[in-house]
Amino acid sequence: MSVTNSFERNTDYEVVVTARAQNTYITKESTASFTTTNDYPVHPDIIVLEAKLITPNSQYFPGQLNVTFSEELVNFDIEKWVAVDYEITNYSIYNSSVSSSVLSEENYNALAANKTGYLLIEDNGVVYQLNYEVILETN
């Protein structure tokens, strides 16, 4: 029997198991389906301290998302940054925070309505998920 552990996250799989009786060589098949989860482990130490969505009429960083961490960014790598279901790929990195570029109106409105997101970080070879809830801020 061979089993692999290289399943993709959030993917549907179908497995066919064939059993054969040793003496009679009669076979029976059974099919099972399953879906892998999209969950990553929670980091034991690093957390998101704050996630601010700056309102478009603000003086500083209008329409941007700023996320502050409990650790300095030199201690881990950001693998992926997601706001609602949109991946943020253009951002600036600071000592212990990241700031997105100005979000499109569609993405800003989705985040202002849903107020959730996550970051995938890599720390010592392990990928962790850091969830956050957004607060709206005007400055």
Side-chain angles (χ1 to χ4, degrees):
M1 183 169 132
S2 172
V3 176
T4 180
N5 62 356
S6 60
F7 294 111
E8 294 293 322
R9 294 186 187 277
N10 199 31
T11 303
D12 296 326
Y13 288 94
E14 183 175 275
V15 178
V16 178
V17 177
T18 304
R20 180 176 52 93
Q22 281 186 336
N23 298 335
T24 63
Y25 298 102
I26 296 173
T27 61
K28 296 228 179 208
E29 273 191 6
S30 181
T31 302
S33 299
F34 65 94
T35 302
T36 55
T37 67
N38 202 28
D39 296 333
Y40 290 84
V42 174
H43 197 281
D45 301 315
I46 301 171
I47 61 170
V48 172
L49 295 176
E50 183 173 68
K52 293 181 185 176
L53 181 59
I54 310 301
T55 58
N57 59 345
S58 292
Q59 183 176 0
Y60 303 104
F61 306 105
Q64 292 178 264
L65 175 60
N66 299 315
V67 177
T68 304
F69 304 95
S70 61
E71 302 280 334
E72 292 184 7
L73 289 170
V74 296
N75 297 330
F76 60 90
D77 295 318
I78 296 173
E79 298 288 316
K80 186 176 189 178
W81 184 6
V82 175
V84 186
D85 59 359
Y86 166 77
E87 183 175 357
I88 296 174
T89 56
N90 192 6
Y91 55 90
S92 299
I93 298 175
Y94 302 98
N95 187 37
S96 60
S97 65
V98 289
S99 181
S100 73
S101 61
V102 176
L103 300 175
S104 70
E105 184 177 351
E106 177 184 356
N107 291 332
Y108 178 91
N109 290 338
L111 185 56
N114 186 285
K115 294 183 174 63
T116 61
Y118 66 89
L119 292 107
L120 297 181
I121 65 166
E122 186 272 321
D123 185 25
N124 291 321
V126 178
V127 176
Y128 297 95
Q129 183 169 329
L130 301 176
N131 296 322
Y132 61 85
E133 290 196 27
V134 169
I135 58 170
L136 296 176
E137 182 175 289
T138 301
N139 58 36

